[in-house]
Amino acid sequence: MGVYVGIDVSKQHLDWAVGAEGIVDQVPNSRAGVRQLVTALGRIELESIVVESTGGYERVLTEALAAAALPVVLVNPWRVRRFGEGLGVLAKTDPLDARVLAMFGERARPARRPLPGPKQREMADLVRRRRQLIAMIVAEKSRLDTASLVVRRDINSLVQLLERRVARLDERIDRAIADDPEKSEQWKRLQTAPCVGPGVARALIVDLPELGSLGRRQITSLVGLAPFAKDSGKKSGYRRIRAGRAAPRSALYLAAMNGARFNAVLKEMYQRLIAAGKPPKLALIALARKLLTILNAMVRDGTDWRQAAA
């Protein structure tokens, strides 16, 4: 039985602890520091190396660990923080976070998933940049109502520039998908669903590479569309969704809104839920969950929408 190592990642350095009670050491968060850490970890009998997702500062580290065939697992920082608070660990320092990560690995045993390869990371970066530009366009357009004429002209000019950049990014993403035979086939297959367009298919392929490889409960939980119970004693509370991956969840919700109108299977389900007294938003979330399970089965079985829906 190996040990669990927790690595706290910051912009400047990496703090790592061997086990929850182990001594915490520190190396610079640079390629030289990462090489030093990988060499040190290679001498240890490991069960898992637990690393938080930190918006990109962990990328060099996780790539080096994966290249060295070391058992690295990326975890959600929110989960680890709540875990620490549940144990009464309210302080937050880098060495303490490293120990909490190691303890989280020992107690929670987070599942290891394959890390994205270079092409997958490149597509994810392009899609992330696209979302940033879309947010900028929405923010600029929201200023139009109260802007003076001269400012409106400047806003419209900037919006046109940003929209051209978005179109260029779409072309690059679509070329990257087309160059990958497996992803290209998935992209076409997903769009056989009447409510799934190129944007939704793109978001699912890039932000949800596990599509088709997990069961329906696992995939809905991963995306954050699985309802969680909130019962206590005689009280039966509302089931709510929480956590999960925001980007594919948003894409599926938009697809569900279209599906409630134009997809025969989802439209019938939506009307049935509304007739049963369900709030429209709850019904749309149920449609998004149903859509995800069908799309997951389509990718898994290599079928189109008509065959999967039947």
Side-chain angles (χ1 to χ4, degrees), residues 137-245:
I137 291 172
V138 172
E140 287 298 312
K141 286 184 174 181
S142 69
R143 300 183 178 103
L144 282 171
D145 291 339
T146 57
S148 63
L149 180 60
V150 64
V151 174
R152 286 172 65 90
R153 288 174 179 167
D154 185 71
I155 290 174
N156 286 326
S157 176
L158 179 57
V159 167
Q160 291 173 10
L161 173 64
L162 292 173
E163 286 175 341
R164 287 196 295 270
R165 298 296 293 271
V166 169
R168 262 187 240 165
L169 285 173
D170 286 342
E171 291 175 1
R172 290 186 63 183
I173 297 166
D174 290 344
R175 279 200 306 270
I177 292 174
D179 290 340
D180 187 319
E182 182 181 355
K183 285 182 171 49
S184 179
E185 184 181 353
Q186 287 182 10
W187 193 64
K188 294 173 184 175
R189 178 171 291 118
L190 291 172
Q191 291 181 76
T192 62
C195 56
V196 175
V200 174
R202 188 187 299 122
L204 293 177
I205 287 173
V206 175
D207 294 311
L208 194 61
E210 297 88 353
L211 192 68
S213 63
L214 300 177
R216 63 185 181 88
R217 288 187 176 87
Q218 290 174 303
I219 199 73
T220 54
S221 179
L222 182 64
V223 175
L225 286 172
F228 290 93
K230 196 176 182 181
D231 302 338
S232 180
K234 295 182 178 180
K235 177 185 175 182
S236 180
Y238 286 109
R239 270 60 176 160
R240 298 180 184 275
I241 62 172
R242 59 186 304 181
R245 296 186 187 172

Side-chain angles (χ1 to χ4, degrees), residues 3-225:
V3 297
Y4 287 85
V5 172
I7 304 178
D8 182 74
V9 180
S10 67
K11 183 178 180 179
Q12 302 297 334
H13 52 258
L14 306 168
D15 293 85
W16 57 289
V18 180
E21 304 297 330
I23 296 174
V24 179
D25 203 349
Q26 186 182 95
V27 296
N29 191 0
S30 62
R31 294 193 180 276
V34 167
R35 285 196 298 270
Q36 179 185 342
L37 178 54
V38 169
T39 301
L41 292 174
R43 303 190 187 103
I44 302 172
E45 186 179 352
L46 297 166
E47 186 67 28
S48 186
I49 303 168
V50 185
V51 181
E52 283 184 338
S53 298
T54 56
Y57 290 124
E58 80 288 351
R59 177 174 291 185
V60 173
L61 171 66
T62 54
E63 288 175 358
L65 292 171
L70 294 175
V72 59
V73 56
L74 275 173
V75 295
N76 189 318
W78 180 85
R79 289 184 62 196
V80 179
R81 189 62 188 157
R82 294 298 176 270
F83 171 80
E85 290 174 353
L87 296 175
V89 182
L90 304 181
K92 185 175 182 357
T93 66
D94 293 341
L96 189 57
D97 287 348
R99 285 194 173 127
V100 170
L101 282 164
M103 191 183 302
F104 179 81
E106 293 172 357
R107 305 283 179 84
R109 306 289 175 89
R112 286 181 59 196
R113 294 191 177 94
L115 296 177
K119 290 184 178 179
Q120 184 74 25
R121 286 195 301 272
E122 180 181 339
M123 281 195 291
D125 289 341
L126 292 172
V127 170
R128 189 178 303 111
R129 181 56 181 163
R130 184 185 188 277
R131 284 197 291 267
Q132 293 168 352
L133 294 181
I134 292 294
M136 292 168 66
I137 291 172
V138 172
E140 287 298 312
K141 286 184 174 181
S142 69
R143 300 183 178 103
L144 282 171
D145 291 339
T146 57
S148 63
L149 180 60
V150 64
V151 174
R152 286 172 65 90
R153 288 174 179 167
D154 185 71
I155 290 174
N156 286 326
S157 176
L158 179 57
V159 167
Q160 291 173 10
L161 173 64
L162 292 173
E163 286 175 341
R164 287 196 295 270
R165 298 296 293 271
V166 169
R168 262 187 240 165
L169 285 173
D170 286 342
E171 291 175 1
R172 290 186 63 183
I173 297 166
D174 290 344
R175 279 200 306 270
I177 292 174
D179 290 340
D180 187 319
E182 182 181 355
K183 285 182 171 49
S184 179
E185 184 181 353
Q186 287 182 10
W187 193 64
K188 294 173 184 175
R189 178 171 291 118
L190 291 172
Q191 291 181 76
T192 62
C195 56
V196 175
V200 174
R202 188 187 299 122
L204 293 177
I205 287 173
V206 175
D207 294 311
L208 194 61
E210 297 88 353
L211 192 68
S213 63
L214 300 177
R216 63 185 181 88
R217 288 187 176 87
Q218 290 174 303
I219 199 73
T220 54
S221 179
L222 182 64
V223 175
L225 286 172

